[in-house]
Amino acid sequence: MGFVALAVLGVGAFGAMLLLGLGRLLWSTVGAALFLGAIGYAWQGRPSLEAAPAQARTTMAEIDPDEIALRDMLLGRYTQDTAYLVAADAMTRSGDTASAARAVMGGLSRLPRSFILWTWAGVTLAADAKDQVTPPALLAFRQAARLAPEHPAPPYYLGLAYVRAGDAAEAQRYWRRALALSPPGSAYGREIAARLALVDRFLAMQRAGIGR
Protein backbone atom coordinates (compact mmCIF):
# COMPACT_ATOMS: atom_id res chain seq x y z
CA MET A 1 0.00 0.00 0.00
CA GLY A 2 2.92 2.35 0.64
CA PHE A 3 3.94 2.47 -3.01
CA VAL A 4 0.30 2.99 -4.08
CA ALA A 5 0.04 5.96 -1.73
CA LEU A 6 3.33 7.31 -3.10
CA ALA A 7 1.99 7.11 -6.66
CA VAL A 8 -1.24 8.88 -5.65
CA LEU A 9 0.77 11.66 -4.01
CA GLY A 10 2.87 12.07 -7.15
CA VAL A 11 -0.19 12.34 -9.40
CA GLY A 12 -1.77 14.79 -6.97
CA ALA A 13 1.35 16.94 -6.90
CA PHE A 14 1.50 17.27 -10.66
CA GLY A 15 -2.23 17.97 -10.75
CA ALA A 16 -1.69 20.79 -8.27
CA MET A 17 1.08 22.22 -10.45
CA LEU A 18 -1.31 22.30 -13.41
CA LEU A 19 -4.03 24.01 -11.36
CA LEU A 20 -1.57 26.56 -9.98
CA GLY A 21 -0.23 27.29 -13.44
CA LEU A 22 3.44 26.71 -12.58
CA GLY A 23 5.81 27.23 -15.47
CA ARG A 24 7.18 24.16 -17.18
CA LEU A 25 10.73 25.23 -16.24
CA LEU A 26 9.87 24.40 -12.62
CA TRP A 27 8.48 20.98 -13.45
CA SER A 28 11.87 19.29 -13.64
CA THR A 29 12.89 20.65 -10.24
CA VAL A 30 9.65 19.63 -8.54
CA GLY A 31 9.83 16.30 -10.33
CA ALA A 32 13.35 15.79 -9.03
CA ALA A 33 12.15 16.44 -5.48
CA LEU A 34 9.38 13.87 -5.88
CA PHE A 35 11.80 11.42 -7.48
CA LEU A 36 14.23 11.88 -4.58
CA GLY A 37 11.46 11.04 -2.14
CA ALA A 38 10.51 7.98 -4.18
CA ILE A 39 14.10 6.74 -4.28
CA GLY A 40 14.47 7.30 -0.56
CA TYR A 41 11.26 5.36 0.10
CA ALA A 42 12.33 2.52 -2.16
CA TRP A 43 15.80 2.51 -0.61
CA GLN A 44 14.77 2.56 3.05
CA GLY A 45 10.98 2.18 3.14
CA ARG A 46 9.57 -1.10 4.41
CA PRO A 47 5.79 -0.97 3.87
CA SER A 48 5.31 -4.63 4.78
CA LEU A 49 6.29 -4.03 8.42
CA GLU A 50 3.54 -3.66 10.97
CA ALA A 51 3.08 -0.33 12.69
CA ALA A 52 4.94 0.05 15.98
CA PRO A 53 5.24 2.85 18.54
CA ALA A 54 8.16 5.18 17.89
CA GLN A 55 11.17 4.60 20.08
CA ALA A 56 12.81 7.64 21.62
CA ARG A 57 16.41 8.20 20.59
CA THR A 58 18.60 9.67 23.30
CA THR A 59 22.01 9.56 21.63
CA MET A 60 23.47 13.05 21.41
CA ALA A 61 25.68 13.97 18.46
CA GLU A 62 28.12 16.83 18.44
CA ILE A 63 28.44 19.09 15.39
CA ASP A 64 31.92 20.40 14.70
CA PRO A 65 31.82 24.19 15.33
CA ASP A 66 34.51 24.66 12.67
CA GLU A 67 32.21 23.06 10.12
CA ILE A 68 29.36 25.33 11.19
CA ALA A 69 31.64 28.36 10.76
CA LEU A 70 32.67 27.17 7.29
CA ARG A 71 29.04 26.58 6.35
CA ASP A 72 28.18 30.12 7.39
CA MET A 73 30.94 31.40 5.09
CA LEU A 74 29.85 29.21 2.19
CA LEU A 75 26.07 29.45 2.46
CA GLY A 76 25.28 32.40 4.70
CA ARG A 77 23.37 32.24 7.94
CA TYR A 78 20.31 34.44 8.20
CA THR A 79 18.35 33.41 5.12
CA GLN A 80 15.13 31.57 4.47
CA ASP A 81 17.09 28.56 3.20
CA THR A 82 19.50 28.30 6.11
CA ALA A 83 16.72 28.43 8.69
CA TYR A 84 15.98 24.83 7.70
CA LEU A 85 19.65 23.94 8.16
CA VAL A 86 19.58 25.29 11.71
CA ALA A 87 16.47 23.20 12.43
CA ALA A 88 18.21 20.14 10.98
CA ASP A 89 21.23 20.85 13.20
CA ALA A 90 19.06 20.70 16.32
CA MET A 91 17.62 17.34 15.28
CA THR A 92 21.06 16.00 14.38
CA ARG A 93 22.38 16.99 17.81
CA SER A 94 19.56 15.01 19.42
CA GLY A 95 20.55 11.98 17.34
CA ASP A 96 17.43 12.08 15.14
CA THR A 97 19.02 12.10 11.69
CA ALA A 98 15.80 10.97 10.01
CA SER A 99 13.93 14.05 11.27
CA ALA A 100 16.86 16.23 10.20
CA ALA A 101 16.51 14.93 6.64
CA ARG A 102 12.73 15.42 6.74
CA ALA A 103 13.15 19.02 7.91
CA VAL A 104 15.34 19.80 4.90
CA MET A 105 12.96 18.02 2.53
CA GLY A 106 10.15 20.11 3.98
CA GLY A 107 12.14 23.19 3.07
CA LEU A 108 12.55 21.90 -0.48
CA SER A 109 8.77 21.62 -0.83
CA ARG A 110 8.69 25.42 -0.37
CA LEU A 111 12.00 26.32 -2.05
CA PRO A 112 12.51 23.67 -4.73
CA ARG A 113 15.23 25.65 -6.53
CA SER A 114 17.39 26.21 -3.48
CA PHE A 115 20.83 24.72 -4.11
CA ILE A 116 21.51 25.25 -0.39
CA LEU A 117 18.66 22.94 0.60
CA TRP A 118 19.54 20.38 -2.07
CA THR A 119 23.10 20.36 -0.76
CA TRP A 120 21.93 19.86 2.80
CA ALA A 121 19.46 17.20 1.72
CA GLY A 122 22.51 15.27 0.51
CA VAL A 123 24.28 15.85 3.83
CA THR A 124 21.35 14.74 5.99
CA LEU A 125 20.39 11.78 3.82
CA ALA A 126 23.96 10.49 3.94
CA ALA A 127 24.05 10.99 7.72
CA ASP A 128 20.76 9.13 8.14
CA ALA A 129 22.21 6.23 6.12
CA LYS A 130 24.99 5.87 8.72
CA ASP A 131 27.39 8.07 6.77
CA GLN A 132 26.99 6.29 3.45
CA VAL A 133 26.61 8.17 0.15
CA THR A 134 23.41 6.45 -0.92
CA PRO A 135 21.66 7.03 -4.29
CA PRO A 136 19.17 9.52 -2.73
CA ALA A 137 22.03 11.51 -1.17
CA LEU A 138 24.00 11.49 -4.41
CA LEU A 139 20.94 12.62 -6.37
CA ALA A 140 20.50 15.55 -3.98
CA PHE A 141 24.13 16.63 -4.33
CA ARG A 142 23.91 16.40 -8.12
CA GLN A 143 20.75 18.51 -8.17
CA ALA A 144 22.51 21.13 -6.04
CA ALA A 145 25.44 21.16 -8.47
CA ARG A 146 23.06 21.50 -11.42
CA LEU A 147 21.37 24.52 -9.83
CA ALA A 148 24.68 26.17 -8.81
CA PRO A 149 27.43 24.74 -11.04
CA GLU A 150 29.94 27.45 -10.10
CA HIS A 151 29.45 27.32 -6.34
CA PRO A 152 31.94 25.35 -4.21
CA ALA A 153 29.41 24.17 -1.61
CA PRO A 154 27.90 21.15 -3.48
CA PRO A 155 31.28 19.52 -4.28
CA TYR A 156 32.67 20.42 -0.85
CA TYR A 157 29.82 18.76 1.02
CA LEU A 158 29.78 15.76 -1.28
CA GLY A 159 33.49 15.41 -0.51
CA LEU A 160 32.74 15.71 3.21
CA ALA A 161 30.15 12.94 2.89
CA TYR A 162 32.80 10.73 1.29
CA VAL A 163 35.23 11.55 4.12
CA ARG A 164 32.64 10.39 6.63
CA ALA A 165 32.04 7.28 4.53
CA GLY A 166 35.77 6.49 4.63
CA ASP A 167 36.43 7.13 0.92
CA ALA A 168 39.30 9.63 0.96
CA ALA A 169 40.05 9.29 -2.75
CA GLU A 170 36.55 10.41 -3.76
CA ALA A 171 36.68 13.17 -1.16
CA GLN A 172 39.94 14.43 -2.66
CA ARG A 173 38.39 14.61 -6.12
CA TYR A 174 35.41 16.69 -4.98
CA TRP A 175 37.42 18.93 -2.66
CA ARG A 176 39.78 19.75 -5.49
CA ARG A 177 36.73 20.83 -7.48
CA ALA A 178 35.43 22.89 -4.55
CA LEU A 179 38.79 24.63 -4.16
CA ALA A 180 38.96 25.38 -7.88
CA LEU A 181 35.53 27.06 -7.62
CA SER A 182 36.51 29.17 -4.59
CA PRO A 183 37.62 32.78 -5.22
CA PRO A 184 41.39 33.16 -4.68
CA GLY A 185 42.13 34.46 -1.20
CA SER A 186 38.63 33.82 0.14
CA ALA A 187 38.35 32.72 3.76
CA TYR A 188 36.37 29.62 2.89
CA GLY A 189 38.82 28.81 0.10
CA ARG A 190 41.62 28.71 2.68
CA GLU A 191 39.56 26.42 4.89
CA ILE A 192 38.82 24.06 2.02
CA ALA A 193 42.51 24.07 1.04
CA ALA A 194 43.50 23.11 4.60
CA ARG A 195 41.07 20.19 4.64
CA LEU A 196 42.21 19.09 1.19
CA ALA A 197 45.84 19.16 2.36
CA LEU A 198 44.96 16.74 5.17
CA VAL A 199 43.31 14.35 2.72
CA ASP A 200 46.26 14.66 0.33
CA ARG A 201 48.65 13.82 3.18
CA PHE A 202 46.53 10.87 4.29
CA LEU A 203 46.40 9.40 0.78
CA ALA A 204 50.14 9.94 0.31
CA MET A 205 50.84 8.08 3.56
CA GLN A 206 48.44 5.34 2.52
CA ARG A 207 50.21 4.89 -0.83
CA ALA A 208 53.61 4.88 0.89
CA GLY A 209 52.41 2.20 3.27
CA ILE A 210 51.11 0.03 0.43
CA GLY A 211 54.40 0.45 -1.47
CA ARG A 212 56.54 -0.97 1.35
Side-chain angles (χ1 to χ4, degrees):
M1 289 298 293
F3 291 106
V4 173
L6 188 64
V8 170
L9 285 172
V11 171
F14 279 103
M17 284 192 291
L18 286 172
L19 289 174
L20 292 171
L22 292 182
R24 290 184 178 271
L25 290 176
L26 287 178
W27 284 31
S28 62
T29 301
V30 177
L34 291 171
F35 186 55
L36 177 62
I39 289 179
Y41 183 77
W43 184 262
Q44 294 184 319
R46 299 163 78 182
S48 61
L49 292 181
E50 294 183 2
Q55 298 296 317
R57 299 176 66 175
T58 57
T59 303
M60 302 298 290
E62 292 297 324
I63 299 178
D64 186 348
D66 290 339
E67 283 300 328
I68 294 293
L70 177 56
R71 187 182 73 188
D72 290 346
M73 286 188 280
L74 277 167
L75 302 176
R77 188 170 186 178
Y78 302 108
T79 67
Q80 188 176 8
D81 314 60
T82 55
Y84 292 97
L85 276 55
V86 173
D89 287 347
M91 295 166 191
T92 298
R93 287 190 182 94
S94 71
D96 193 352
T97 53
S99 290
R102 284 195 294 271
V104 179
M105 296 304 294
L108 278 170
S109 69
R110 295 171 174 80
L111 302 167
R113 295 189 63 80
S114 169
F115 84 91
I116 293 174
L117 289 175
W118 279 108
T119 300
W120 218 251
V123 170
T124 54
L125 287 167
D128 191 45
K130 298 182 179 179
D131 292 327
Q132 296 301 307
V133 185
T134 58
L138 191 57
L139 177 65
F141 283 122
R142 286 175 175 168
Q143 179 70 355
R146 188 184 72 81
L147 290 168
E150 301 302 317
H151 200 285
Y156 171 74
Y157 284 106
L158 179 51
L160 183 60
Y162 277 117
V163 166
R164 291 169 175 168
D167 191 340
E170 280 297 291
Q172 182 188 57
R173 183 162 73 93
Y174 285 103
W175 280 1
R176 283 177 175 171
R177 170 69 176 161
L179 183 58
L181 291 172
S182 301
S186 62
Y188 61 75
R190 290 192 295 271
E191 292 293 327
I192 293 171
R195 288 159 173 75
L196 177 59
L198 291 174
V199 169
D200 290 344
R201 193 177 312 155
F202 171 79
L203 289 171
M205 292 172 62
Q206 191 177 59
R207 285 191 293 269
I210 291 172
R212 290 194 187 100

